[in-house]
Amino acid sequence: EITTRLVGSEMCIRDSGMKAIGALRVAAALLALCLAALLAGCAVQIAPIEPNSVEQIEVESLPQSETWARVYTDRDKIGEVVSYLNGLRLRQLFSENPDEYVGQSLVLTLTLADGTTREFTHFGNLFLMERGGAWQRMEYEQAARLDGLLRRLPTDAQPEA
């Protein structure tokens, strides 16, 4: 009888230890899933832009330079720039501080058919900010594509001074 009780107690202790280890494994797995979801959730995109709703895109650089000054009214060119913006994968959480960088910004102002505008500041081939929003981080390869796109697409008209 004593042996049975000891074995029973030992079994109970061993079972509770196994349950604790199992609970820790489940908790670790859930934590890993949550972390993965959080990190994957950090990649965001801008609110989509409908290319047919854009009447004009004006590009200017800060500091100002005629090199990047552009006005696009051609539907195909507008479509390419909008496709670029819609395709960006941005991160809201990043370690860099855009205020610590010095460099050129490209400001893209999209004028929509209803007269409203959306303005994007593309800075240092790393960051993007929509007017009124916070800086977001993009991969260098994505950011550098804008340079190539603008070099390939000549202006349709001279920007107004």
Side-chain angles (χ1 to χ4, degrees), residues 56-62 64-72 77 81 85 104-110 120 122 146-147 149-151 153 155 157-160:
Q56 173 181 295
I57 298 176
E58 184 171 351
V59 181
E60 64 177 316
S61 64
L62 299 174
Q64 289 189 334
S65 165
E66 293 302 312
T67 303
W68 297 109
R70 307 269 193 287
V71 174
Y72 297 122
K77 292 177 186 177
V81 175
L85 290 170
Q104 183 177 48
S105 293
L106 295 174
V107 179
L108 290 78
T109 305
L110 286 65
F120 298 90
H122 194 280
L146 181 62
D147 288 356
L149 183 62
L150 295 178
R151 288 182 195 282
L153 299 175
T155 188
Q158 291 303 314
E160 294 180 17

PDB file of all heavy atoms in Angstrom, residues 56-62 64-72 77 81 85 104-110 120 122 146-147 149-151 153 155 157-160:
ATOM      1  N   GLN A  56      -1.943  63.896 -62.812  1.00  0.00           N
ATOM      2  CA  GLN A  56      -0.600  64.421 -63.019  1.00  0.00           C
ATOM      3  C   GLN A  56       0.301  63.998 -61.858  1.00  0.00           C
ATOM      4  O   GLN A  56      -0.158  63.859 -60.725  1.00  0.00           O
ATOM      5  CB  GLN A  56      -0.646  65.949 -63.076  1.00  0.00           C
ATOM      6  CG  GLN A  56       0.703  66.626 -63.129  1.00  0.00           C
ATOM      7  CD  GLN A  56       0.572  68.138 -63.166  1.00  0.00           C
ATOM      8  OE1 GLN A  56       0.053  68.678 -64.139  1.00  0.00           O
ATOM      9  NE2 GLN A  56       1.023  68.820 -62.134  1.00  0.00           N
ATOM     10  N   ILE A  57       1.560  63.809 -62.166  1.00  0.00           N
ATOM     11  CA  ILE A  57       2.570  63.576 -61.135  1.00  0.00           C
ATOM     12  C   ILE A  57       3.670  64.599 -61.345  1.00  0.00           C
ATOM     13  O   ILE A  57       4.229  64.700 -62.438  1.00  0.00           O
ATOM     14  CB  ILE A  57       3.155  62.151 -61.198  1.00  0.00           C
ATOM     15  CG1 ILE A  57       2.059  61.116 -60.954  1.00  0.00           C
ATOM     16  CG2 ILE A  57       4.295  62.003 -60.176  1.00  0.00           C
ATOM     17  CD1 ILE A  57       2.524  59.677 -61.103  1.00  0.00           C
ATOM     18  N   GLU A  58       3.971  65.334 -60.285  1.00  0.00           N
ATOM     19  CA  GLU A  58       5.082  66.283 -60.338  1.00  0.00           C
ATOM     20  C   GLU A  58       6.179  65.773 -59.424  1.00  0.00           C
ATOM     21  O   GLU A  58       5.919  65.323 -58.305  1.00  0.00           O
ATOM     22  CB  GLU A  58       4.633  67.674 -59.894  1.00  0.00           C
ATOM     23  CG  GLU A  58       5.737  68.698 -60.035  1.00  0.00           C
ATOM     24  CD  GLU A  58       5.270  70.136 -59.802  1.00  0.00           C
ATOM     25  OE1 GLU A  58       4.048  70.366 -59.692  1.00  0.00           O
ATOM     26  OE2 GLU A  58       6.142  71.010 -59.730  1.00  0.00           O
ATOM     27  N   VAL A  59       7.404  65.814 -59.928  1.00  0.00           N
ATOM     28  CA  VAL A  59       8.561  65.371 -59.158  1.00  0.00           C
ATOM     29  C   VAL A  59       9.486  66.563 -58.983  1.00  0.00           C
ATOM     30  O   VAL A  59       9.797  67.260 -59.944  1.00  0.00           O
ATOM     31  CB  VAL A  59       9.323  64.236 -59.885  1.00  0.00           C
ATOM     32  CG1 VAL A  59      10.516  63.766 -59.057  1.00  0.00           C
ATOM     33  CG2 VAL A  59       8.406  63.079 -60.223  1.00  0.00           C
ATOM     34  N   GLU A  60       9.908  66.787 -57.749  1.00  0.00           N
ATOM     35  CA  GLU A  60      10.921  67.805 -57.488  1.00  0.00           C
ATOM     36  C   GLU A  60      11.911  67.243 -56.491  1.00  0.00           C
ATOM     37  O   GLU A  60      11.613  66.283 -55.772  1.00  0.00           O
ATOM     38  CB  GLU A  60      10.296  69.094 -56.955  1.00  0.00           C
ATOM     39  CG  GLU A  60       9.628  68.948 -55.609  1.00  0.00           C
ATOM     40  CD  GLU A  60       9.077  70.254 -55.076  1.00  0.00           C
ATOM     41  OE1 GLU A  60       9.760  71.282 -55.167  1.00  0.00           O
ATOM     42  OE2 GLU A  60       7.953  70.222 -54.556  1.00  0.00           O
ATOM     43  N   SER A  61      13.095  67.816 -56.465  1.00  0.00           N
ATOM     44  CA  SER A  61      14.099  67.332 -55.528  1.00  0.00           C
ATOM     45  C   SER A  61      14.399  68.403 -54.490  1.00  0.00           C
ATOM     46  O   SER A  61      14.241  69.599 -54.744  1.00  0.00           O
ATOM     47  CB  SER A  61      15.383  66.946 -56.259  1.00  0.00           C
ATOM     48  OG  SER A  61      15.964  68.075 -56.865  1.00  0.00           O
ATOM     49  N   LEU A  62      14.794  67.934 -53.330  1.00  0.00           N
ATOM     50  CA  LEU A  62      15.228  68.820 -52.255  1.00  0.00           C
ATOM     51  C   LEU A  62      16.611  68.359 -51.818  1.00  0.00           C
ATOM     52  O   LEU A  62      16.741  67.209 -51.410  1.00  0.00           O
ATOM     53  CB  LEU A  62      14.249  68.764 -51.079  1.00  0.00           C
ATOM     54  CG  LEU A  62      12.808  69.196 -51.379  1.00  0.00           C
ATOM     55  CD1 LEU A  62      11.939  68.946 -50.162  1.00  0.00           C
ATOM     56  CD2 LEU A  62      12.747  70.635 -51.809  1.00  0.00           C
ATOM     57  N   GLN A  64      16.754  71.621 -54.362  1.00  0.00           N
ATOM     58  CA  GLN A  64      16.231  71.694 -55.720  1.00  0.00           C
ATOM     59  C   GLN A  64      17.315  71.468 -56.757  1.00  0.00           C
ATOM     60  O   GLN A  64      18.430  71.958 -56.642  1.00  0.00           O
ATOM     61  CB  GLN A  64      15.544  73.035 -55.956  1.00  0.00           C
ATOM     62  CG  GLN A  64      14.238  73.133 -55.200  1.00  0.00           C
ATOM     63  CD  GLN A  64      13.440  74.355 -55.586  1.00  0.00           C
ATOM     64  OE1 GLN A  64      13.982  75.351 -56.027  1.00  0.00           O
ATOM     65  NE2 GLN A  64      12.137  74.262 -55.407  1.00  0.00           N
ATOM     66  N   SER A  65      16.939  70.703 -57.766  1.00  0.00           N
ATOM     67  CA  SER A  65      17.830  70.392 -58.872  1.00  0.00           C
ATOM     68  C   SER A  65      16.969  70.140 -60.097  1.00  0.00           C
ATOM     69  O   SER A  65      15.967  69.432 -60.018  1.00  0.00           O
ATOM     70  CB  SER A  65      18.655  69.147 -58.543  1.00  0.00           C
ATOM     71  OG  SER A  65      19.266  68.640 -59.703  1.00  0.00           O
ATOM     72  N   GLU A  66      17.366  70.705 -61.198  1.00  0.00           N
ATOM     73  CA  GLU A  66      16.627  70.483 -62.447  1.00  0.00           C
ATOM     74  C   GLU A  66      16.777  69.046 -62.946  1.00  0.00           C
ATOM     75  O   GLU A  66      15.992  68.580 -63.756  1.00  0.00           O
ATOM     76  CB  GLU A  66      17.098  71.471 -63.526  1.00  0.00           C
ATOM     77  CG  GLU A  66      16.753  72.924 -63.214  1.00  0.00           C
ATOM     78  CD  GLU A  66      15.252  73.133 -63.019  1.00  0.00           C
ATOM     79  OE1 GLU A  66      14.459  72.647 -63.856  1.00  0.00           O
ATOM     80  OE2 GLU A  66      14.893  73.766 -62.010  1.00  0.00           O
ATOM     81  N   THR A  67      17.776  68.351 -62.434  1.00  0.00           N
ATOM     82  CA  THR A  67      18.030  66.971 -62.858  1.00  0.00           C
ATOM     83  C   THR A  67      16.799  66.092 -62.670  1.00  0.00           C
ATOM     84  O   THR A  67      16.492  65.254 -63.504  1.00  0.00           O
ATOM     85  CB  THR A  67      19.202  66.371 -62.054  1.00  0.00           C
ATOM     86  OG1 THR A  67      20.344  67.197 -62.240  1.00  0.00           O
ATOM     87  CG2 THR A  67      19.511  64.956 -62.488  1.00  0.00           C
ATOM     88  N   TRP A  68      16.100  66.282 -61.564  1.00  0.00           N
ATOM     89  CA  TRP A  68      14.971  65.416 -61.247  1.00  0.00           C
ATOM     90  C   TRP A  68      13.608  66.061 -61.473  1.00  0.00           C
ATOM     91  O   TRP A  68      12.588  65.422 -61.266  1.00  0.00           O
ATOM     92  CB  TRP A  68      15.062  64.946 -59.796  1.00  0.00           C
ATOM     93  CG  TRP A  68      16.287  64.125 -59.566  1.00  0.00           C
ATOM     94  CD1 TRP A  68      17.396  64.491 -58.863  1.00  0.00           C
ATOM     95  CD2 TRP A  68      16.544  62.818 -60.073  1.00  0.00           C
ATOM     96  NE1 TRP A  68      18.322  63.498 -58.893  1.00  0.00           N
ATOM     97  CE2 TRP A  68      17.824  62.450 -59.631  1.00  0.00           C
ATOM     98  CE3 TRP A  68      15.824  61.934 -60.857  1.00  0.00           C
ATOM     99  CZ2 TRP A  68      18.402  61.224 -59.936  1.00  0.00           C
ATOM    100  CZ3 TRP A  68      16.401  60.703 -61.158  1.00  0.00           C
ATOM    101  CH2 TRP A  68      17.669  60.369 -60.707  1.00  0.00           C
ATOM    102  N   ALA A  69      13.581  67.320 -61.885  1.00  0.00           N
ATOM    103  CA  ALA A  69      12.297  68.006 -62.084  1.00  0.00           C
ATOM    104  C   ALA A  69      11.531  67.341 -63.229  1.00  0.00           C
ATOM    105  O   ALA A  69      12.031  67.219 -64.339  1.00  0.00           O
ATOM    106  CB  ALA A  69      12.529  69.484 -62.375  1.00  0.00           C
ATOM    107  N   ARG A  70      10.328  66.898 -62.924  1.00  0.00           N
ATOM    108  CA  ARG A  70       9.496  66.201 -63.907  1.00  0.00           C
ATOM    109  C   ARG A  70       8.035  66.539 -63.670  1.00  0.00           C
ATOM    110  O   ARG A  70       7.613  66.773 -62.546  1.00  0.00           O
ATOM    111  CB  ARG A  70       9.595  64.676 -63.759  1.00  0.00           C
ATOM    112  CG  ARG A  70      10.966  64.072 -63.772  1.00  0.00           C
ATOM    113  CD  ARG A  70      11.351  63.697 -65.200  1.00  0.00           C
ATOM    114  NE  ARG A  70      12.517  62.855 -65.271  1.00  0.00           N
ATOM    115  CZ  ARG A  70      13.753  63.245 -65.056  1.00  0.00           C
ATOM    116  NH1 ARG A  70      14.007  64.454 -64.663  1.00  0.00           N
ATOM    117  NH2 ARG A  70      14.772  62.412 -65.218  1.00  0.00           N
ATOM    118  N   VAL A  71       7.260  66.522 -64.762  1.00  0.00           N
ATOM    119  CA  VAL A  71       5.805  66.545 -64.690  1.00  0.00           C
ATOM    120  C   VAL A  71       5.327  65.468 -65.649  1.00  0.00           C
ATOM    121  O   VAL A  71       5.682  65.468 -66.826  1.00  0.00           O
ATOM    122  CB  VAL A  71       5.210  67.917 -65.084  1.00  0.00           C
ATOM    123  CG1 VAL A  71       3.691  67.832 -65.140  1.00  0.00           C
ATOM    124  CG2 VAL A  71       5.651  69.002 -64.119  1.00  0.00           C
ATOM    125  N   TYR A  72       4.544  64.545 -65.129  1.00  0.00           N
ATOM    126  CA  TYR A  72       3.994  63.481 -65.961  1.00  0.00           C
ATOM    127  C   TYR A  72       2.489  63.652 -66.087  1.00  0.00           C
ATOM    128  O   TYR A  72       1.780  63.765 -65.088  1.00  0.00           O
ATOM    129  CB  TYR A  72       4.292  62.102 -65.357  1.00  0.00           C
ATOM    130  CG  TYR A  72       5.762  61.783 -65.265  1.00  0.00           C
ATOM    131  CD1 TYR A  72       6.338  61.476 -64.044  1.00  0.00           C
ATOM    132  CD2 TYR A  72       6.568  61.775 -66.402  1.00  0.00           C
ATOM    133  CE1 TYR A  72       7.691  61.169 -63.953  1.00  0.00           C
ATOM    134  CE2 TYR A  72       7.915  61.487 -66.320  1.00  0.00           C
ATOM    135  CZ  TYR A  72       8.475  61.178 -65.082  1.00  0.00           C
ATOM    136  OH  TYR A  72       9.813  60.883 -65.003  1.00  0.00           O
ATOM    137  N   LYS A  77       3.142  56.758 -68.386  1.00  0.00           N
ATOM    138  CA  LYS A  77       4.165  57.163 -67.410  1.00  0.00           C
ATOM    139  C   LYS A  77       3.568  57.238 -66.009  1.00  0.00           C
ATOM    140  O   LYS A  77       4.178  56.777 -65.032  1.00  0.00           O
ATOM    141  CB  LYS A  77       4.775  58.503 -67.805  1.00  0.00           C
ATOM    142  CG  LYS A  77       5.607  58.420 -69.076  1.00  0.00           C
ATOM    143  CD  LYS A  77       6.131  59.794 -69.469  1.00  0.00           C
ATOM    144  CE  LYS A  77       6.848  59.743 -70.808  1.00  0.00           C
ATOM    145  NZ  LYS A  77       7.290  61.084 -71.223  1.00  0.00           N
ATOM    146  N   VAL A  81       4.782  55.023 -62.591  1.00  0.00           N
ATOM    147  CA  VAL A  81       5.141  55.602 -61.295  1.00  0.00           C
ATOM    148  C   VAL A  81       4.180  55.099 -60.213  1.00  0.00           C
ATOM    149  O   VAL A  81       4.606  54.728 -59.109  1.00  0.00           O
ATOM    150  CB  VAL A  81       5.169  57.144 -61.349  1.00  0.00           C
ATOM    151  CG1 VAL A  81       5.416  57.736 -59.962  1.00  0.00           C
ATOM    152  CG2 VAL A  81       6.240  57.630 -62.334  1.00  0.00           C
ATOM    153  N   LEU A  85       4.981  52.914 -56.764  1.00  0.00           N
ATOM    154  CA  LEU A  85       4.554  53.281 -55.408  1.00  0.00           C
ATOM    155  C   LEU A  85       3.686  52.190 -54.787  1.00  0.00           C
ATOM    156  O   LEU A  85       3.875  51.818 -53.625  1.00  0.00           O
ATOM    157  CB  LEU A  85       3.796  54.613 -55.419  1.00  0.00           C
ATOM    158  CG  LEU A  85       4.635  55.858 -55.708  1.00  0.00           C
ATOM    159  CD1 LEU A  85       3.734  57.067 -55.942  1.00  0.00           C
ATOM    160  CD2 LEU A  85       5.623  56.128 -54.575  1.00  0.00           C
ATOM    161  N   GLN A 104      19.585  63.789 -50.495  1.00  0.00           N
ATOM    162  CA  GLN A 104      18.571  64.335 -51.377  1.00  0.00           C
ATOM    163  C   GLN A 104      17.235  63.632 -51.166  1.00  0.00           C
ATOM    164  O   GLN A 104      17.182  62.430 -50.922  1.00  0.00           O
ATOM    165  CB  GLN A 104      19.021  64.154 -52.824  1.00  0.00           C
ATOM    166  CG  GLN A 104      18.081  64.750 -53.833  1.00  0.00           C
ATOM    167  CD  GLN A 104      18.626  64.594 -55.235  1.00  0.00           C
ATOM    168  OE1 GLN A 104      19.044  63.503 -55.613  1.00  0.00           O
ATOM    169  NE2 GLN A 104      18.629  65.668 -55.980  1.00  0.00           N
ATOM    170  N   SER A 105      16.192  64.408 -51.269  1.00  0.00           N
ATOM    171  CA  SER A 105      14.837  63.874 -51.240  1.00  0.00           C
ATOM    172  C   SER A 105      14.191  64.118 -52.587  1.00  0.00           C
ATOM    173  O   SER A 105      14.419  65.153 -53.214  1.00  0.00           O
ATOM    174  CB  SER A 105      13.993  64.581 -50.178  1.00  0.00           C
ATOM    175  OG  SER A 105      14.449  64.297 -48.893  1.00  0.00           O
ATOM    176  N   LEU A 106      13.378  63.191 -53.008  1.00  0.00           N
ATOM    177  CA  LEU A 106      12.532  63.398 -54.172  1.00  0.00           C
ATOM    178  C   LEU A 106      11.102  63.469 -53.661  1.00  0.00           C
ATOM    179  O   LEU A 106      10.658  62.591 -52.923  1.00  0.00           O
ATOM    180  CB  LEU A 106      12.682  62.254 -55.172  1.00  0.00           C
ATOM    181  CG  LEU A 106      14.059  62.119 -55.811  1.00  0.00           C
ATOM    182  CD1 LEU A 106      14.131  60.871 -56.676  1.00  0.00           C
ATOM    183  CD2 LEU A 106      14.390  63.356 -56.634  1.00  0.00           C
ATOM    184  N   VAL A 107      10.417  64.527 -54.031  1.00  0.00           N
ATOM    185  CA  VAL A 107       9.038  64.720 -53.608  1.00  0.00           C
ATOM    186  C   VAL A 107       8.148  64.464 -54.818  1.00  0.00           C
ATOM    187  O   VAL A 107       8.280  65.140 -55.837  1.00  0.00           O
ATOM    188  CB  VAL A 107       8.809  66.137 -53.038  1.00  0.00           C
ATOM    189  CG1 VAL A 107       7.358  66.311 -52.618  1.00  0.00           C
ATOM    190  CG2 VAL A 107       9.760  66.403 -51.873  1.00  0.00           C
ATOM    191  N   LEU A 108       7.272  63.478 -54.691  1.00  0.00           N
ATOM    192  CA  LEU A 108       6.335  63.145 -55.760  1.00  0.00           C
ATOM    193  C   LEU A 108       4.949  63.612 -55.326  1.00  0.00           C
ATOM    194  O   LEU A 108       4.432  63.147 -54.303  1.00  0.00           O
ATOM    195  CB  LEU A 108       6.309  61.636 -56.012  1.00  0.00           C
ATOM    196  CG  LEU A 108       7.550  61.018 -56.651  1.00  0.00           C
ATOM    197  CD1 LEU A 108       8.654  60.832 -55.639  1.00  0.00           C
ATOM    198  CD2 LEU A 108       7.201  59.715 -57.309  1.00  0.00           C
ATOM    199  N   THR A 109       4.380  64.513 -56.090  1.00  0.00           N
ATOM    200  CA  THR A 109       3.043  65.029 -55.795  1.00  0.00           C
ATOM    201  C   THR A 109       2.095  64.511 -56.862  1.00  0.00           C
ATOM    202  O   THR A 109       2.240  64.826 -58.038  1.00  0.00           O
ATOM    203  CB  THR A 109       3.024  66.567 -55.752  1.00  0.00           C
ATOM    204  OG1 THR A 109       4.013  67.012 -54.809  1.00  0.00           O
ATOM    205  CG2 THR A 109       1.655  67.082 -55.356  1.00  0.00           C
ATOM    206  N   LEU A 110       1.144  63.704 -56.428  1.00  0.00           N
ATOM    207  CA  LEU A 110       0.153  63.137 -57.337  1.00  0.00           C
ATOM    208  C   LEU A 110      -1.119  63.971 -57.229  1.00  0.00           C
ATOM    209  O   LEU A 110      -1.668  64.129 -56.133  1.00  0.00           O
ATOM    210  CB  LEU A 110      -0.162  61.690 -56.967  1.00  0.00           C
ATOM    211  CG  LEU A 110       0.884  60.629 -57.297  1.00  0.00           C
ATOM    212  CD1 LEU A 110       2.169  60.815 -56.531  1.00  0.00           C
ATOM    213  CD2 LEU A 110       0.309  59.250 -57.092  1.00  0.00           C
ATOM    214  N   PHE A 120       4.411  62.253 -51.607  1.00  0.00           N
ATOM    215  CA  PHE A 120       5.342  61.279 -51.062  1.00  0.00           C
ATOM    216  C   PHE A 120       6.753  61.848 -51.101  1.00  0.00           C
ATOM    217  O   PHE A 120       7.177  62.364 -52.132  1.00  0.00           O
ATOM    218  CB  PHE A 120       5.313  59.974 -51.880  1.00  0.00           C
ATOM    219  CG  PHE A 120       3.980  59.302 -51.862  1.00  0.00           C
ATOM    220  CD1 PHE A 120       3.023  59.596 -52.826  1.00  0.00           C
ATOM    221  CD2 PHE A 120       3.662  58.385 -50.874  1.00  0.00           C
ATOM    222  CE1 PHE A 120       1.777  58.982 -52.812  1.00  0.00           C
ATOM    223  CE2 PHE A 120       2.418  57.762 -50.851  1.00  0.00           C
ATOM    224  CZ  PHE A 120       1.480  58.069 -51.823  1.00  0.00           C
ATOM    225  N   HIS A 122      10.563  60.752 -50.843  1.00  0.00           N
ATOM    226  CA  HIS A 122      11.417  59.587 -51.038  1.00  0.00           C
ATOM    227  C   HIS A 122      12.821  60.057 -50.679  1.00  0.00           C
ATOM    228  O   HIS A 122      13.406  60.857 -51.388  1.00  0.00           O
ATOM    229  CB  HIS A 122      11.309  59.231 -52.534  1.00  0.00           C
ATOM    230  CG  HIS A 122      11.834  57.910 -52.925  1.00  0.00           C
ATOM    231  ND1 HIS A 122      13.165  57.662 -53.125  1.00  0.00           N
ATOM    232  CD2 HIS A 122      11.193  56.758 -53.206  1.00  0.00           C
ATOM    233  CE1 HIS A 122      13.319  56.410 -53.520  1.00  0.00           C
ATOM    234  NE2 HIS A 122      12.130  55.843 -53.573  1.00  0.00           N
ATOM    235  N   LEU A 146      13.483  53.806 -58.209  1.00  0.00           N
ATOM    236  CA  LEU A 146      12.875  55.089 -58.579  1.00  0.00           C
ATOM    237  C   LEU A 146      13.836  55.912 -59.422  1.00  0.00           C
ATOM    238  O   LEU A 146      13.422  56.515 -60.411  1.00  0.00           O
ATOM    239  CB  LEU A 146      12.434  55.875 -57.345  1.00  0.00           C
ATOM    240  CG  LEU A 146      11.757  57.215 -57.669  1.00  0.00           C
ATOM    241  CD1 LEU A 146      10.466  57.011 -58.466  1.00  0.00           C
ATOM    242  CD2 LEU A 146      11.474  57.998 -56.399  1.00  0.00           C
ATOM    243  N   ASP A 147      15.116  55.935 -59.057  1.00  0.00           N
ATOM    244  CA  ASP A 147      16.106  56.667 -59.855  1.00  0.00           C
ATOM    245  C   ASP A 147      16.079  56.183 -61.303  1.00  0.00           C
ATOM    246  O   ASP A 147      16.037  56.981 -62.241  1.00  0.00           O
ATOM    247  CB  ASP A 147      17.516  56.483 -59.292  1.00  0.00           C
ATOM    248  CG  ASP A 147      17.747  57.230 -58.004  1.00  0.00           C
ATOM    249  OD1 ASP A 147      16.840  57.973 -57.568  1.00  0.00           O
ATOM    250  OD2 ASP A 147      18.835  57.074 -57.425  1.00  0.00           O
ATOM    251  N   LEU A 149      13.736  54.580 -62.880  1.00  0.00           N
ATOM    252  CA  LEU A 149      12.446  54.882 -63.494  1.00  0.00           C
ATOM    253  C   LEU A 149      12.399  56.333 -63.966  1.00  0.00           C
ATOM    254  O   LEU A 149      12.017  56.628 -65.107  1.00  0.00           O
ATOM    255  CB  LEU A 149      11.328  54.615 -62.484  1.00  0.00           C
ATOM    256  CG  LEU A 149       9.885  54.789 -62.946  1.00  0.00           C
ATOM    257  CD1 LEU A 149       9.554  53.817 -64.061  1.00  0.00           C
ATOM    258  CD2 LEU A 149       8.940  54.603 -61.775  1.00  0.00           C
ATOM    259  N   LEU A 150      12.815  57.264 -63.109  1.00  0.00           N
ATOM    260  CA  LEU A 150      12.789  58.683 -63.481  1.00  0.00           C
ATOM    261  C   LEU A 150      13.784  59.001 -64.599  1.00  0.00           C
ATOM    262  O   LEU A 150      13.500  59.824 -65.461  1.00  0.00           O
ATOM    263  CB  LEU A 150      13.067  59.563 -62.260  1.00  0.00           C
ATOM    264  CG  LEU A 150      12.012  59.512 -61.160  1.00  0.00           C
ATOM    265  CD1 LEU A 150      12.430  60.387 -59.980  1.00  0.00           C
ATOM    266  CD2 LEU A 150      10.640  59.923 -61.678  1.00  0.00           C
ATOM    267  N   ARG A 151      14.929  58.354 -64.587  1.00  0.00           N
ATOM    268  CA  ARG A 151      15.911  58.572 -65.663  1.00  0.00           C
ATOM    269  C   ARG A 151      15.360  58.080 -67.001  1.00  0.00           C
ATOM    270  O   ARG A 151      15.630  58.654 -68.046  1.00  0.00           O
ATOM    271  CB  ARG A 151      17.217  57.848 -65.355  1.00  0.00           C
ATOM    272  CG  ARG A 151      18.011  58.477 -64.245  1.00  0.00           C
ATOM    273  CD  ARG A 151      19.334  57.743 -64.024  1.00  0.00           C
ATOM    274  NE  ARG A 151      19.948  58.095 -62.777  1.00  0.00           N
ATOM    275  CZ  ARG A 151      20.629  59.219 -62.558  1.00  0.00           C
ATOM    276  NH1 ARG A 151      20.771  60.092 -63.525  1.00  0.00           N
ATOM    277  NH2 ARG A 151      21.164  59.460 -61.376  1.00  0.00           N
ATOM    278  N   LEU A 153      12.088  57.860 -67.835  1.00  0.00           N
ATOM    279  CA  LEU A 153      10.854  58.534 -68.255  1.00  0.00           C
ATOM    280  C   LEU A 153      11.078  60.041 -68.330  1.00  0.00           C
ATOM    281  O   LEU A 153      11.080  60.723 -67.307  1.00  0.00           O
ATOM    282  CB  LEU A 153       9.725  58.247 -67.259  1.00  0.00           C
ATOM    283  CG  LEU A 153       9.316  56.791 -67.063  1.00  0.00           C
ATOM    284  CD1 LEU A 153       8.283  56.679 -65.959  1.00  0.00           C
ATOM    285  CD2 LEU A 153       8.806  56.204 -68.365  1.00  0.00           C
ATOM    286  N   THR A 155      10.330  64.020 -68.860  1.00  0.00           N
ATOM    287  CA  THR A 155       9.184  64.841 -68.441  1.00  0.00           C
ATOM    288  C   THR A 155       8.239  65.095 -69.614  1.00  0.00           C
ATOM    289  O   THR A 155       8.663  65.137 -70.779  1.00  0.00           O
ATOM    290  CB  THR A 155       9.673  66.161 -67.839  1.00  0.00           C
ATOM    291  OG1 THR A 155       8.552  66.848 -67.267  1.00  0.00           O
ATOM    292  CG2 THR A 155      10.354  67.063 -68.856  1.00  0.00           C
ATOM    293  N   ALA A 157       6.179  67.831 -69.390  1.00  0.00           N
ATOM    294  CA  ALA A 157       6.087  69.295 -69.358  1.00  0.00           C
ATOM    295  C   ALA A 157       7.065  69.794 -68.325  1.00  0.00           C
ATOM    296  O   ALA A 157       7.484  69.064 -67.428  1.00  0.00           O
ATOM    297  CB  ALA A 157       4.657  69.740 -69.000  1.00  0.00           C
ATOM    298  N   GLN A 158       7.427  71.062 -68.418  1.00  0.00           N
ATOM    299  CA  GLN A 158       8.312  71.650 -67.423  1.00  0.00           C
ATOM    300  C   GLN A 158       7.514  72.001 -66.173  1.00  0.00           C
ATOM    301  O   GLN A 158       6.416  72.546 -66.268  1.00  0.00           O
ATOM    302  CB  GLN A 158       8.998  72.909 -67.975  1.00  0.00           C
ATOM    303  CG  GLN A 158      10.008  72.615 -69.059  1.00  0.00           C
ATOM    304  CD  GLN A 158      11.090  71.653 -68.582  1.00  0.00           C
ATOM    305  OE1 GLN A 158      11.638  71.802 -67.499  1.00  0.00           O
ATOM    306  NE2 GLN A 158      11.389  70.638 -69.392  1.00  0.00           N
ATOM    307  N   PRO A 159       8.050  71.672 -65.006  1.00  0.00           N
ATOM    308  CA  PRO A 159       7.359  72.033 -63.774  1.00  0.00           C
ATOM    309  C   PRO A 159       7.217  73.544 -63.654  1.00  0.00           C
ATOM    310  O   PRO A 159       8.079  74.291 -64.131  1.00  0.00           O
ATOM    311  CB  PRO A 159       8.276  71.499 -62.666  1.00  0.00           C
ATOM    312  CG  PRO A 159       9.182  70.531 -63.347  1.00  0.00           C
ATOM    313  CD  PRO A 159       9.286  70.951 -64.775  1.00  0.00           C
ATOM    314  N   GLU A 160       6.130  73.972 -63.019  1.00  0.00           N
ATOM    315  CA  GLU A 160       5.946  75.404 -62.799  1.00  0.00           C
ATOM    316  C   GLU A 160       6.894  75.871 -61.714  1.00  0.00           C
ATOM    317  O   GLU A 160       7.099  75.172 -60.730  1.00  0.00           O
ATOM    318  CB  GLU A 160       4.497  75.690 -62.401  1.00  0.00           C
ATOM    319  CG  GLU A 160       3.528  75.396 -63.520  1.00  0.00           C
ATOM    320  CD  GLU A 160       2.094  75.685 -63.124  1.00  0.00           C
ATOM    321  OE1 GLU A 160       1.877  76.405 -62.130  1.00  0.00           O
ATOM    322  OE2 GLU A 160       1.196  75.185 -63.813  1.00  0.00           O
TER     323      GLU A 160
END
